[in-house]
Amino acid sequence: MTPERKKKLRQLLRKKAAEELKKEQERKAEERKKIIIQRTGHPKPVDGVNEATLQAICKEYYERLKQLENSKYDLEYSVRQKDFEINELTIQVNDLRGKFVKPTLKKVSKYEGKFEKLKAIAKNTEMDYRANLKNVSKDKFKLGEEKESERPEWAFGKKKVEEEE
């Protein structure tokens, strides 16, 4: 096959596919219209109608709407019941298998409770830090003459060595 012929075949296939796509869309649109007419009923002519006929048409529409709302409520209720049954059955199946569903955990801050506990401890117990400190005599660290004799010679530096000579 020549490249020109391949190109023409591709163009023909694209045209055919586009036509089929349009036909499919038209068919779906017609189906939608049929379903809508089937569900809603045929529209009533309201042009040039007297008041009594209009009231009758409104009452028909009202009854139809009431019926549809009732069926909608019944369907929603049955869906909730089925969901509940499905949930219960999955729990039973998991129990039989020995596997349990992990519960979803709440996100909790690590530090939220710790600061509150520390504050509570501080309030409950009187924290007198100075009372807990050790008592140290001031004479222990005094650098006076009485302590100087106990020091070795090398600790005095040049001054002490010069005085002895």
Side-chain angles (χ1 to χ4, degrees):
M1 252 193 219
T2 63
E4 292 173 12
R5 190 170 174 128
K6 284 182 182 177
K7 189 175 182 181
K8 284 185 178 181
L9 278 173
R10 284 186 190 136
Q11 287 177 345
L12 287 172
L13 286 172
R14 285 185 191 135
K15 285 181 183 178
K16 181 103 173 155
E19 289 174 7
E20 287 180 15
L21 184 64
K22 285 182 183 178
K23 287 180 184 177
E24 184 69 24
Q25 287 175 343
E26 290 173 1
R27 187 181 60 78
K28 284 183 178 180
E30 287 176 18
E31 283 181 26
R32 274 192 217 113
K33 286 180 184 177
K34 286 180 185 177
I35 290 171
I36 289 172
I37 290 172
Q38 182 184 16
R39 289 183 181 173
T40 58
H42 293 286
K44 307 282 183 189
V46 290
D47 294 334
V49 179
N50 62 6
E51 191 174 327
T53 314
L54 268 177
Q55 284 181 350
I57 291 172
C58 288
K59 284 183 182 178
E60 271 184 54
Y61 281 138
Y62 176 74
E63 291 298 322
R64 174 117 171 117
L65 185 68
K66 195 164 73 170
Q67 176 193 3
L68 290 173
E69 284 294 323
N70 286 337
S71 63
K72 177 186 164 194
Y73 177 78
D74 293 340
L75 288 173
E76 286 176 349
Y77 181 77
S78 66
V79 165
R80 277 186 297 201
Q81 288 295 106
K82 301 270 190 216
D83 284 342
F84 180 74
E85 281 182 44
I86 289 170
N87 190 18
E88 289 295 316
L89 290 173
T90 52
I91 289 172
Q92 287 178 4
V93 167
N94 287 334
D95 286 345
L96 290 174
R97 287 185 185 164
K99 296 179 182 176
F100 298 100
V101 178
K102 293 180 183 175
T104 55
L105 300 175
K106 285 195 244 175
K107 290 185 178 180
V108 179
S109 174
K110 291 181 189 177
Y111 308 107
E112 185 177 327
K114 289 185 179 179
F115 294 122
E116 293 172 5
K117 288 178 184 176
L118 287 174
K119 286 178 184 177
I121 290 170
K123 286 182 182 178
N124 292 339
T125 60
E126 186 174 324
M127 294 189 165
D128 187 10
Y129 292 111
R130 292 185 183 187
N132 294 335
L133 293 176
K134 291 182 179 178
N135 291 329
V136 178
S137 64
K138 294 179 182 179
D139 296 336
K140 186 174 183 180
F141 296 106
K142 189 173 182 182
L143 294 175
E145 294 177 12
E146 61 268 354
K147 295 283 183 176
E148 203 171 289
S149 60
E150 296 173 7
R151 290 176 33 190
E153 288 183 20
W154 57 267
F156 289 112
K158 290 184 179 180
K159 286 184 180 179
K160 186 69 175 177
V161 174
E162 290 172 4
E163 288 177 11
E164 291 179 0
E165 292 176 358

